[in-house]
Amino acid sequence: MHAGDDAGSLDRATKDFLAARPQLFGIAYRMLGSSVEAEDILQEVWLRWQNADRTHILEPAAFLTTVTTRLAINHAQSARVRRESYTGPWLPEPVDTSQDPQLGAERAEALELAVLVLLEKLNPVERAAYVLREAFDYPYKQVADMLDTSEANTRQLVSRARKHLAAERKEQVSRADHRRLLEVFVTAAQTGNLTELEDVLAADVVSYADGNGMRGASRVPVVGRPHVSKYLVAFAPRFWPRSDVRWVEANGRPAALVTSGGNPIALLSIDVSADGIDRLMWVLNPDKLAPYMTSLNA
């Protein structure tokens, strides 16, 4: 506790932090693609907030957001190094958004798994600028202050991020069409129906399997309709028997949770455009499935 604090001051600090917490978590999660790491960031923010001289802080939410953003940028820079040793494709840790787990934004930008995957290619400062502007609608001047840069540079950062996403991702279909394609795909994958798989996959589809080296998970992305289709057909006899599918929501989009004996073995999310399924994202890593299951069953 900061010297000179009394119970009333700390109570006020706690209320200010809890009021801002949903948005702080939303920022940290979008920056890091991990709810576990986002929670770690918020723990550090709380400690700094407790020890800050709050008598001179006129806007607690702005202060807390700035601290969260800067800590997340630093963490993202070190996370890149750690992920270089990750075995196989790295996917963000999925979150259960069906009950709104305090993701803290009125808009859903930078929340879908596919978008988070693309944002990984940006540098952390570009990513922060995009998240603050697009997901939380902060004015450019305020984003610039949080990032300790100029407003002109902030506009360039956000513009580069938008162009990157526009170049890498096609226009999305409706939620109803997304769910329909997901159901058709799962049925075709379960039965190993090559023709039906080819009908729903885009020509340049990419399949990512995040298993961190676990057996059965491809250690490289599988690219292109013929390769993905044949891979899925060959994979079907080993993966689908004795498994159950539960329709869930992950990161604001319909998803399929595959379980065996009540235990999760995969969470499948897809990215869908008018051309069909553009991305298949299989989260197989038990360490990433565990937090999602905890939230889902809460």
Side-chain angles (χ1 to χ4, degrees), residues 65-141:
T65 300
T66 300
V67 174
T68 299
T69 300
R70 293 181 181 180
L71 286 174
I73 289 173
N74 291 338
H75 193 87
Q77 291 168 336
S78 62
R80 281 193 167 191
V81 176
R82 293 196 306 275
R83 287 168 190 168
E84 288 177 357
S85 62
Y86 198 83
T87 304
W90 181 93
L91 291 174
E93 179 187 307
V95 289
D96 171 27
T97 45
S98 62
Q99 301 299 322
D100 186 22
Q102 297 191 328
L103 283 176
E106 294 179 0
R107 299 189 292 174
E109 274 80 355
L111 181 58
E112 295 174 37
L113 282 182
V115 175
L116 293 175
V117 168
L118 295 178
L119 290 180
E120 279 290 310
K121 298 180 181 179
L122 302 177
N123 70 55
V125 177
E126 287 175 333
R127 185 168 182 166
Y130 181 84
V131 166
L132 291 169
R133 176 61 187 168
E134 296 300 306
F136 295 92
D137 204 26
Y138 278 104
Y140 282 107
K141 177 64 171 65

Side-chain angles (χ1 to χ4, degrees), residues 55-270:
T55 57
H56 300 293
I57 298 174
L58 301 180
E59 297 183 22
F63 175 88
L64 291 166
T65 300
T66 300
V67 174
T68 299
T69 300
R70 293 181 181 180
L71 286 174
I73 289 173
N74 291 338
H75 193 87
Q77 291 168 336
S78 62
R80 281 193 167 191
V81 176
R82 293 196 306 275
R83 287 168 190 168
E84 288 177 357
S85 62
Y86 198 83
T87 304
W90 181 93
L91 291 174
E93 179 187 307
V95 289
D96 171 27
T97 45
S98 62
Q99 301 299 322
D100 186 22
Q102 297 191 328
L103 283 176
E106 294 179 0
R107 299 189 292 174
E109 274 80 355
L111 181 58
E112 295 174 37
L113 282 182
V115 175
L116 293 175
V117 168
L118 295 178
L119 290 180
E120 279 290 310
K121 298 180 181 179
L122 302 177
N123 70 55
V125 177
E126 287 175 333
R127 185 168 182 166
Y130 181 84
V131 166
L132 291 169
R133 176 61 187 168
E134 296 300 306
F136 295 92
D137 204 26
Y138 278 104
Y140 282 107
K141 177 64 171 65
Q142 195 167 358
V143 176
D145 291 341
M146 292 176 184
L147 300 180
D148 194 24
T149 187
S150 68
E151 184 174 345
N153 187 47
T154 299
R155 290 180 180 274
Q156 291 179 346
L157 292 170
V158 175
S159 177
R160 285 202 296 269
R162 286 175 178 160
K163 289 177 181 177
H164 169 71
L165 291 177
E168 295 282 343
R169 196 178 190 219
K170 305 167 191 173
E171 184 175 350
Q172 298 300 286
V173 300
S174 69
R175 184 180 180 88
D177 285 342
H178 186 113
R179 171 66 182 263
R180 180 182 60 82
L181 263 292
L182 176 62
E183 292 178 352
V184 171
F185 169 80
V186 169
T187 299
Q190 286 175 314
T191 58
N193 190 314
L194 183 61
T195 301
E196 289 187 5
L197 285 170
E198 291 179 337
D199 285 344
V200 297
L201 298 177
D204 55 353
V205 62
V206 183
S207 178
Y208 304 91
D210 180 337
N212 196 20
M214 68 184 299
R215 184 178 180 183
S218 175
R219 298 192 178 193
V220 295
V222 184
V223 183
R225 183 190 290 142
H227 294 101
V228 172
S229 298
K230 291 174 182 176
Y231 172 76
L232 292 168
V233 169
F235 194 56
R238 302 195 304 273
F239 184 76
W240 295 105
R242 297 180 299 280
S243 67
D244 298 302
V245 175
R246 177 179 174 184
W247 303 111
V248 295
E249 182 179 295
N251 295 66
R253 283 288 187 172
L257 177 66
V258 185
T259 62
S260 179
N263 298 313
I265 56 176
L267 181 74
L268 169 63
S269 296
I270 62 175

